[in-house]
Amino acid sequence: MTDAALAKAIAQVDAVLAGQMRAPQVKGFFDEPTFTISYVVSDAATKKAAIIDSVWDFDQASGRTSFESADAIIDYVREQGLTVEWILETHAHADHLSAAPYLQEQLGGKMSIGREILTVQGVFGKIFNEGTEFARDGSQFDQLLEDGDELMIGEIPLTAMHVPGHTPADMAYVIGDALFTGDTMFMPDYGSARADFPGGDARMLYRSVRRLMKLPDETRVFLCHDYKAPNRDQYVWETTVLAERTSNVHLHDGVSEDEFVAMRTQRDATLAMPKLILPSLQVNIRGGRLPPPEDNGVRYLKLPLDVL
């Protein structure tokens, strides 16, 4: 059985390397409070763009929200004269709230995520005891993507790849010669994402990363997070498939699936839950929207006890 999505993604990268296709322009926006990198990916010729993994600022202690991070993206898009076609999520994040609806209101574009968001909505709909008014059908998004689906950013194709493991719904996006991995892996000196959230699976994560590592060595890799590895003083979020395949401390060539699963399982058992997991998931399973207001006009986020 052939891997049609991977073959399509490899062809895209090869076309850029051969000079037959333009490489996308990539601008990263680092949000240090959540260690998240959001991206604006654009076609220089057509001025069409996509936004990947945006951040909605949230102060947990006060419950206040703001849009400083998203406004920086808006300013860049307008300064560059870009037209946003897509607002993409790699998955329902557990470490930050998505600003996708706000960006869509300001800039347009269609909101999209992987189809397995339905699984995540089902799991966390139960955890948060959401009522029947919470739709678990992905209707909060304009389009649900499956493995191998293709979008266009101007004249540059995007191939969606389903890469479960960190969560059931993770997607990676190959845009021209650029790979956006979401939380599947980090910089080579930092390693891999955790796989102990509900629906996570270290074995699936290993297989997903191995699949991505079959892309051409020269493929540019853009990561969703960086936490600064030991002995590194700077935040960085761009590398290559070659560097990941040969140097990733958890997943380099020669690490077996069983070795990775044992390491990941042991390591995950020592990790605390992300500090924003409960507010983030309540918002992100709704496509970046808060729960509806209660009868006093105020919106509330739940704090389920002894569940995670």
Side-chain angles (χ1 to χ4, degrees):
M1 183 176 181
T2 60
D3 187 336
L6 178 61
K8 191 184 301 183
I10 290 172
Q12 283 177 208
V13 178
D14 285 343
V16 174
L17 297 175
Q20 299 166 351
M21 182 191 298
R22 283 190 301 279
Q25 293 185 333
V26 180
K27 172 69 172 177
F29 295 82
F30 182 63
D31 179 65
E32 188 165 358
T34 63
F35 307 102
T36 301
I37 305 95
S38 307
Y39 295 98
V40 176
V41 188
S42 58
D43 176 2
T46 65
K47 294 291 188 177
K48 305 295 186 182
I51 299 170
I52 302 176
D53 289 337
S54 61
V55 174
W56 182 7
D57 303 298
F58 175 68
D59 180 71
Q60 188 170 23
S62 67
R64 295 190 184 98
T65 63
S66 63
F67 290 105
E68 293 178 11
S69 297
D71 284 340
I73 291 175
I74 292 169
D75 290 345
Y76 173 80
V77 166
R78 290 175 174 165
E79 287 167 2
Q80 297 297 313
L82 302 176
T83 299
V84 174
E85 297 188 308
W86 296 99
I87 301 173
L88 304 168
E89 302 287 349
T90 54
H91 62 295
H93 303 273
D95 43 35
H96 70 270
L97 284 62
S98 169
Y102 175 75
L103 290 168
Q104 185 179 51
E105 179 183 333
Q106 298 292 318
L107 299 172
K110 293 182 178 180
M111 289 170 46
S112 190
I113 199 170
R115 180 168 293 279
E116 287 302 313
I117 187 64
L118 276 66
T119 300
V120 178
Q121 289 178 329
V123 169
F124 283 95
K126 291 180 181 178
I127 287 175
F128 292 116
N129 196 32
E130 299 288 356
T132 56
E133 72 277 3
F134 171 58
R136 296 161 171 82
D137 58 2
S139 57
Q140 299 86 350
F141 300 87
D142 297 308
Q143 185 166 340
L144 301 181
L145 296 171
E146 300 190 41
D147 190 63
D149 280 354
E150 183 176 290
L151 307 176
M152 297 299 294
I153 300 174
E155 297 173 353
I156 300 175
L158 175 156
T159 298
M161 298 180 68
H162 183 214
V163 286
H166 174 61
T167 78
D170 281 65
M171 300 295 289
Y173 302 117
V174 181
I175 307 174
D177 68 335
L179 166 64
F180 298 85
T181 67
D183 285 11
T184 56
M185 54 186 171
F186 301 134
M187 288 297 293
D189 59 358
Y190 200 87
S192 60
R194 65 194 299 167
D196 61 331
F197 295 152
D201 187 308
R203 202 164 293 278
M204 293 179 68
L205 178 61
Y206 179 91
R207 296 171 185 176
S208 292
V209 173
R210 281 283 174 260
R211 186 179 181 218
L212 295 176
M213 287 181 176
K214 292 179 181 178
L215 290 164
D217 288 350
E218 301 90 342
T219 305
R220 295 183 289 160
V221 178
F222 295 92
L223 310 172
C224 187
H225 297 287
D226 187 58
Y227 304 97
K228 286 199 269 191
N231 303 316
R232 173 156 57 82
D233 295 329
Q234 300 295 320
Y235 292 108
V236 288
W237 48 82
E238 180 180 352
T239 182
T240 66
V241 164
L242 177 62
E244 292 284 8
R245 186 170 53 75
T246 59
S247 305
N248 186 289
V249 294
H250 294 165
L251 286 155
H252 60 79
D253 287 347
V255 175
S256 72
E257 183 173 317
D258 287 343
E259 288 171 335
F260 174 77
V261 170
M263 178 281 299
R264 193 68 264 173
T265 302
Q266 182 179 13
R267 183 180 177 91
D268 288 351
T270 69
L271 300 177
M273 284 288 108
K275 66 178 182 178
L276 293 183
I277 185 171
L278 295 175
S280 293
L281 283 167
Q282 286 176 82
V283 170
N284 294 339
I285 60 176
R286 290 178 164 85
R289 300 174 183 89
L290 292 168
E294 299 192 7
D295 55 12
N296 62 354
V298 178
R299 300 174 189 269
Y300 293 86
L301 294 172
K302 294 180 179 178
L303 186 68
L305 302 180
D306 301 322
V307 174
L308 296 180

